[in-house]
Amino acid sequence: MDSTASVPQGVIPVQLLKGQKALVTGANSGIGKATAIGLGRAGADVVVNYVAGRDAAEEVVEEITSFGVRAAAYEADVSQEDQVTAMTDRMVQEFGTIDILVANAGLQRDARFTEMTLEQWQKVLDVNLTGQFLCAREAAKEFRRRGVVPEVSSSAGKIICMSSVHQLIPWSGHVNYASSKGGVQMMMATLAQELAPYKIRVNAVAPGAIRTPINRSAWETPEAREDLLRLIPYKRIGDPQDISHAVVALASDLMDYVVGTTLYVDGGMTLFPGFATGG
Ligand code: BGC
Protein backbone atom coordinates (compact mmCIF):
# COMPACT_ATOMS: atom_id res chain seq x y z
CA MET A 1 0.00 0.00 0.00
CA ASP A 2 1.74 3.13 -1.16
CA SER A 3 0.12 6.05 -2.83
CA THR A 4 1.59 9.42 -3.60
CA ALA A 5 -1.85 10.43 -4.81
CA SER A 6 -2.68 11.34 -1.22
CA VAL A 7 -0.11 14.16 -1.18
CA PRO A 8 -2.16 17.36 -1.18
CA GLN A 9 -1.45 19.15 -4.45
CA GLY A 10 -1.22 22.90 -4.84
CA VAL A 11 -2.09 23.76 -1.25
CA ILE A 12 0.56 26.45 -0.89
CA PRO A 13 -1.00 29.85 -0.23
CA VAL A 14 0.07 31.88 -3.23
CA GLN A 15 1.24 35.06 -1.51
CA LEU A 16 2.95 33.50 1.50
CA LEU A 17 6.47 34.47 0.40
CA LYS A 18 5.64 37.38 -1.87
CA GLY A 19 8.61 39.62 -2.62
CA GLN A 20 11.19 37.30 -1.06
CA LYS A 21 14.28 36.09 -2.89
CA ALA A 22 15.17 32.45 -2.43
CA LEU A 23 18.32 30.53 -3.34
CA VAL A 24 17.94 26.75 -3.58
CA THR A 25 21.07 24.69 -4.12
CA GLY A 26 20.89 21.47 -6.11
CA ALA A 27 17.57 22.62 -7.50
CA ASN A 28 17.57 20.90 -10.90
CA SER A 29 16.28 17.57 -9.60
CA GLY A 30 14.60 15.72 -6.74
CA ILE A 31 13.85 17.53 -3.50
CA GLY A 32 15.65 20.71 -4.57
CA LYS A 33 13.59 21.00 -7.74
CA ALA A 34 10.27 20.51 -5.92
CA THR A 35 11.33 23.00 -3.28
CA ALA A 36 12.34 25.67 -5.80
CA ILE A 37 9.00 25.25 -7.55
CA GLY A 38 7.11 25.38 -4.24
CA LEU A 39 8.85 28.60 -3.22
CA GLY A 40 8.01 30.14 -6.60
CA ARG A 41 4.40 29.05 -6.26
CA ALA A 42 4.35 30.79 -2.88
CA GLY A 43 5.40 34.06 -4.54
CA ALA A 44 9.19 34.09 -4.06
CA ASP A 45 11.69 34.88 -6.81
CA VAL A 46 14.02 31.90 -7.05
CA VAL A 47 17.61 31.20 -8.01
CA VAL A 48 17.91 27.59 -9.16
CA ASN A 49 21.45 26.44 -8.44
CA TYR A 50 22.88 23.39 -10.20
CA VAL A 51 26.30 21.89 -10.76
CA ALA A 52 25.57 19.74 -13.83
CA GLY A 53 22.49 19.55 -16.03
CA ARG A 54 21.79 23.03 -17.30
CA ASP A 55 18.76 21.93 -19.35
CA ALA A 56 17.00 20.47 -16.33
CA ALA A 57 17.72 23.66 -14.38
CA GLU A 58 16.29 25.79 -17.20
CA GLU A 59 13.12 23.70 -17.18
CA VAL A 60 12.71 24.38 -13.47
CA VAL A 61 13.22 28.09 -14.16
CA GLU A 62 10.55 27.98 -16.85
CA GLU A 63 8.05 26.32 -14.54
CA ILE A 64 8.72 28.85 -11.78
CA THR A 65 8.38 31.87 -14.06
CA SER A 66 4.97 30.56 -15.13
CA PHE A 67 3.77 31.61 -11.66
CA GLY A 68 4.58 35.23 -12.52
CA VAL A 69 7.74 35.46 -10.41
CA ARG A 70 11.39 35.77 -11.42
CA ALA A 71 13.77 32.83 -11.64
CA ALA A 72 17.24 32.13 -12.98
CA ALA A 73 19.60 29.16 -13.15
CA TYR A 74 23.08 29.67 -11.68
CA GLU A 75 25.82 27.08 -12.04
CA ALA A 76 28.07 26.59 -9.01
CA ASP A 77 29.71 23.72 -7.16
CA VAL A 78 28.71 24.39 -3.53
CA SER A 79 31.89 22.76 -2.22
CA GLN A 80 34.06 25.40 -3.96
CA GLU A 81 34.40 28.63 -2.01
CA ASP A 82 35.06 30.88 -5.01
CA GLN A 83 32.04 29.50 -6.87
CA VAL A 84 29.76 30.00 -3.87
CA THR A 85 30.83 33.61 -3.33
CA ALA A 86 30.45 34.30 -7.06
CA MET A 87 26.93 32.84 -6.95
CA THR A 88 25.75 34.83 -3.93
CA ASP A 89 27.37 38.05 -5.23
CA ARG A 90 25.60 37.56 -8.55
CA MET A 91 22.27 36.94 -6.82
CA VAL A 92 22.58 40.14 -4.79
CA GLN A 93 23.47 42.02 -7.96
CA GLU A 94 20.68 40.60 -10.11
CA PHE A 95 17.92 40.02 -7.55
CA GLY A 96 18.81 42.71 -5.00
CA THR A 97 19.29 40.46 -1.99
CA ILE A 98 18.74 36.97 -0.54
CA ASP A 99 15.94 36.33 1.98
CA ILE A 100 15.84 32.54 2.01
CA LEU A 101 18.62 30.00 1.55
CA VAL A 102 17.69 26.35 1.14
CA ALA A 103 21.01 24.53 1.48
CA ASN A 104 19.87 21.40 -0.27
CA ALA A 105 22.62 20.14 -2.59
CA GLY A 106 23.74 16.71 -1.49
CA LEU A 107 24.85 13.33 -2.73
CA GLN A 108 25.62 9.77 -1.71
CA ARG A 109 28.73 7.69 -2.46
CA ASP A 110 27.84 4.42 -0.77
CA ALA A 111 30.34 1.73 0.26
CA ARG A 112 30.88 -0.77 3.04
CA PHE A 113 33.14 0.79 5.65
CA THR A 114 36.29 -1.23 4.99
CA GLU A 115 35.96 -0.63 1.26
CA MET A 116 35.20 3.07 1.47
CA THR A 117 37.88 5.20 -0.16
CA LEU A 118 39.06 8.49 1.24
CA GLU A 119 37.75 10.05 -1.96
CA GLN A 120 34.21 8.72 -1.31
CA TRP A 121 34.35 9.95 2.27
CA GLN A 122 35.71 13.36 1.33
CA LYS A 123 33.38 14.03 -1.60
CA VAL A 124 30.27 13.49 0.54
CA LEU A 125 31.59 15.64 3.39
CA ASP A 126 32.67 18.36 0.94
CA VAL A 127 29.29 18.67 -0.75
CA ASN A 128 26.85 17.78 2.04
CA LEU A 129 28.51 19.59 4.95
CA THR A 130 31.14 22.04 3.70
CA GLY A 131 28.78 23.07 0.89
CA GLN A 132 26.10 23.99 3.41
CA PHE A 133 28.68 25.82 5.54
CA LEU A 134 29.85 27.96 2.61
CA CYS A 135 26.35 28.81 1.35
CA ALA A 136 25.06 29.55 4.86
CA ARG A 137 28.04 31.81 5.58
CA GLU A 138 27.57 33.88 2.45
CA ALA A 139 23.80 34.12 2.97
CA ALA A 140 24.25 35.13 6.61
CA LYS A 141 26.63 37.94 5.58
CA GLU A 142 23.97 39.31 3.25
CA PHE A 143 21.22 38.95 5.89
CA ARG A 144 23.34 40.90 8.40
CA ARG A 145 24.22 43.59 5.88
CA ARG A 146 20.56 44.16 4.95
CA GLY A 147 18.82 43.60 8.30
CA VAL A 148 15.06 43.27 8.72
CA VAL A 149 12.79 44.78 6.09
CA PRO A 150 9.39 44.54 7.85
CA GLU A 151 7.34 44.75 4.62
CA VAL A 152 9.11 41.63 3.38
CA SER A 153 9.56 39.45 6.48
CA SER A 154 9.75 39.62 10.28
CA SER A 155 13.26 38.19 10.17
CA ALA A 156 16.42 39.30 8.42
CA GLY A 157 16.73 35.96 6.69
CA LYS A 158 16.05 32.27 6.84
CA ILE A 159 18.46 29.39 6.35
CA ILE A 160 16.98 25.95 5.87
CA CYS A 161 19.47 23.09 5.92
CA MET A 162 18.44 19.94 4.12
CA SER A 163 19.32 17.16 6.50
CA SER A 164 18.02 13.59 6.66
CA VAL A 165 16.61 11.07 9.08
CA HIS A 166 20.23 9.86 9.05
CA GLN A 167 21.28 12.78 11.20
CA LEU A 168 19.73 10.53 13.87
CA ILE A 169 19.49 6.99 12.45
CA PRO A 170 22.86 5.27 11.97
CA TRP A 171 23.16 3.82 8.46
CA SER A 172 25.43 0.86 7.67
CA GLY A 173 27.15 1.14 4.33
CA HIS A 174 26.71 4.91 4.32
CA VAL A 175 29.05 6.19 7.04
CA ASN A 176 30.09 9.18 4.93
CA TYR A 177 26.49 10.28 4.32
CA ALA A 178 25.26 9.68 7.89
CA SER A 179 28.30 11.54 9.29
CA SER A 180 27.66 14.47 6.96
CA LYS A 181 24.04 14.74 8.10
CA GLY A 182 25.01 14.38 11.78
CA GLY A 183 27.32 17.31 11.09
CA VAL A 184 24.52 19.26 9.44
CA GLN A 185 22.43 18.86 12.60
CA MET A 186 25.09 20.37 14.87
CA MET A 187 26.07 23.03 12.35
CA MET A 188 22.43 24.07 12.02
CA ALA A 189 21.88 24.28 15.80
CA THR A 190 25.12 26.20 16.36
CA LEU A 191 24.36 28.66 13.58
CA ALA A 192 20.82 29.07 14.91
CA GLN A 193 22.21 30.01 18.32
CA GLU A 194 24.84 32.36 16.90
CA LEU A 195 22.65 34.11 14.34
CA ALA A 196 19.32 34.41 16.20
CA PRO A 197 20.31 37.75 17.81
CA TYR A 198 20.59 39.16 14.27
CA LYS A 199 17.01 38.04 13.60
CA ILE A 200 18.22 35.25 11.32
CA ARG A 201 16.36 31.97 11.66
CA VAL A 202 18.24 28.75 10.98
CA ASN A 203 16.35 25.45 10.88
CA ALA A 204 16.55 22.08 9.16
CA VAL A 205 14.23 19.74 7.36
CA ALA A 206 15.03 16.04 7.73
CA PRO A 207 13.40 13.99 4.97
CA GLY A 208 12.87 10.27 5.26
CA ALA A 209 12.55 8.10 2.17
CA ILE A 210 11.46 10.41 -0.61
CA ARG A 211 11.03 9.08 -4.13
CA THR A 212 13.94 10.76 -5.97
CA PRO A 213 16.86 9.63 -8.14
CA ILE A 214 19.19 9.46 -5.08
CA ASN A 215 17.45 6.37 -3.68
CA ARG A 216 15.98 4.78 -6.80
CA SER A 217 17.18 1.30 -5.78
CA ALA A 218 15.14 1.54 -2.55
CA TRP A 219 11.78 1.91 -4.32
CA GLU A 220 12.25 0.73 -7.90
CA THR A 221 11.23 -2.93 -7.54
CA PRO A 222 8.17 -4.26 -5.65
CA GLU A 223 10.47 -6.20 -3.27
CA ALA A 224 12.55 -3.12 -2.45
CA ARG A 225 9.38 -1.09 -1.95
CA GLU A 226 7.98 -3.66 0.45
CA ASP A 227 11.20 -3.64 2.50
CA LEU A 228 11.20 0.14 2.56
CA LEU A 229 7.55 0.42 3.64
CA ARG A 230 8.37 -1.74 6.67
CA LEU A 231 10.44 1.22 7.88
CA ILE A 232 7.64 3.77 7.38
CA PRO A 233 4.74 3.67 9.87
CA TYR A 234 2.64 5.95 7.62
CA LYS A 235 2.96 3.37 4.84
CA ARG A 236 3.73 5.56 1.91
CA ILE A 237 6.99 6.61 0.32
CA GLY A 238 7.45 10.37 0.44
CA ASP A 239 6.97 12.66 -2.51
CA PRO A 240 9.33 15.64 -3.14
CA GLN A 241 6.30 17.88 -2.63
CA ASP A 242 6.07 16.70 0.99
CA ILE A 243 9.46 18.34 1.57
CA SER A 244 8.65 21.40 -0.50
CA HIS A 245 5.59 22.11 1.65
CA ALA A 246 7.63 21.83 4.85
CA VAL A 247 10.32 24.19 3.51
CA VAL A 248 7.79 26.80 2.37
CA ALA A 249 6.11 26.75 5.77
CA LEU A 250 9.42 26.97 7.68
CA ALA A 251 10.62 29.84 5.48
CA SER A 252 7.45 31.83 6.04
CA ASP A 253 6.58 34.19 8.89
CA LEU A 254 3.99 31.63 10.04
CA MET A 255 7.05 29.97 11.61
CA ASP A 256 8.71 33.16 12.84
CA TYR A 257 9.30 31.79 16.35
CA VAL A 258 10.79 28.51 15.11
CA VAL A 259 14.56 28.74 15.60
CA GLY A 260 17.10 25.92 15.61
CA THR A 261 14.62 23.12 15.02
CA THR A 262 14.77 20.06 12.81
CA LEU A 263 11.44 19.26 11.24
CA TYR A 264 11.33 15.53 10.43
CA VAL A 265 9.24 14.88 7.33
CA ASP A 266 9.49 11.13 7.25
CA GLY A 267 6.14 9.36 7.64
CA GLY A 268 7.30 8.30 11.10
CA MET A 269 10.58 6.66 10.05
CA THR A 270 12.31 8.02 13.16
CA LEU A 271 9.75 6.39 15.49
CA PHE A 272 11.67 3.08 15.80
CA PRO A 273 9.09 1.18 13.67
CA GLY A 274 10.80 -2.13 14.59
CA PHE A 275 9.30 -1.70 18.06
CA ALA A 276 5.70 -1.43 16.83
CA THR A 277 5.19 -5.11 17.50
CA GLY A 278 8.18 -6.13 19.59
CA GLY A 279 10.56 -5.05 22.33
C1 BGC B 1 18.76 9.13 1.72
C2 BGC B 1 17.93 8.12 0.97
C3 BGC B 1 17.23 7.18 1.94
C4 BGC B 1 16.51 7.95 3.04
C5 BGC B 1 15.90 7.06 4.10
C6 BGC B 1 17.88 9.81 2.73
O1 BGC B 1 18.58 10.81 3.40
O2 BGC B 1 19.34 10.06 0.81
O3 BGC B 1 18.75 7.38 0.08
O4 BGC B 1 16.29 6.39 1.23
O5 BGC B 1 17.40 8.85 3.64
O6 BGC B 1 16.77 6.05 4.51
Side-chain angles (χ1 to χ4, degrees):
M1 196 188 21
D2 160 45
S3 141
T4 48
S6 55
V7 180
Q9 307 288 314
V11 295
I12 296 169
V14 174
Q15 301 296 313
L16 198 56
L17 300 175
K18 188 172 184 315
Q20 301 203 40
K21 320 288 176 196
L23 168 60
V24 184
T25 63
N28 57 336
S29 80
I31 287 173
K33 172 180 175 179
T35 297
I37 292 169
L39 292 165
R41 200 189 279 281
D45 296 325
V46 185
V47 169
V48 173
N49 157 259
Y50 68 99
V51 65
R54 172 152 202 107
D55 290 354
E58 288 298 350
E59 278 170 31
V60 177
V61 164
E62 218 172 285
E63 184 162 352
I64 294 171
T65 51
S66 76
F67 307 131
V69 295
R70 276 185 72 194
Y74 289 4
E75 181 183 340
D77 177 342
V78 296
S79 69
Q80 300 302 314
E81 186 171 29
D82 53 340
Q83 296 186 35
V84 171
T85 53
M87 172 170 69
T88 50
D89 287 353
R90 181 175 166 199
M91 179 160 175
V92 171
Q93 224 165 56
E94 293 179 359
F95 284 74
T97 190
I98 309 171
D99 300 287
I100 299 164
L101 165 69
V102 185
N104 166 78
L107 45 76
Q108 290 182 211
R109 292 287 183 271
D110 308 331
R112 307 307 305 177
F113 181 50
T114 49
E115 274 91 58
M116 187 173 284
T117 63
L118 177 59
E119 200 187 351
Q120 286 170 320
W121 168 267
Q122 199 61 55
K123 178 77 181 171
V124 171
L125 270 292
D126 283 351
V127 174
N128 295 12
L129 185 56
T130 306
Q132 292 206 13
F133 159 74
L134 290 171
C135 294
R137 189 188 64 188
E138 294 314 302
K141 284 184 198 166
E142 171 58 14
F143 299 162
R144 287 195 56 183
R145 183 198 66 76
R146 173 181 32 72
V148 177
V149 180
E151 304 77 54
V152 175
S153 175
S154 313
S155 69
K158 281 82 60 166
I159 296 171
I160 295 166
C161 299
M162 199 54 69
S163 188
S164 162
V165 290
H166 298 297
Q167 69 169 28
L168 183 70
I169 303 176
W171 202 16
S172 296
H174 307 79
V175 67
N176 47 3
Y177 184 85
S179 302
S180 74
K181 296 302 185 178
V184 164
Q185 194 284 324
M186 187 49 80
M187 184 187 72
M188 180 281 291
T190 301
L191 296 185
Q193 187 192 61
E194 185 165 337
L195 298 175
Y198 303 103
K199 299 284 280 175
I200 296 168
R201 292 195 297 115
V202 187
N203 290 285
V205 170
I210 309 299
R211 200 188 302 268
T212 70
I214 208 174
N215 61 358
R216 184 176 297 282
S217 63
W219 49 261
E220 208 166 32
T221 65
E223 300 75 42
R225 224 169 14 250
E226 199 179 311
D227 277 355
L228 183 56
L229 287 173
R230 264 197 274 280
L231 301 176
I232 308 173
Y234 204 53
K235 297 296 172 211
R236 81 167 165 85
I237 299 171
D239 184 276
Q241 264 203 317
D242 289 310
I243 306 306
S244 165
H245 292 166
V247 170
V248 169
L250 259 184
S252 80
D253 283 353
L254 289 174
M255 301 278 165
D256 189 53
Y257 208 50
V258 178
V259 175
T261 291
T262 295
L263 177 56
Y264 287 91
V265 185
D266 68 350
M269 195 175 233
T270 40
L271 299 175
F272 299 97
F275 278 78
T277 52

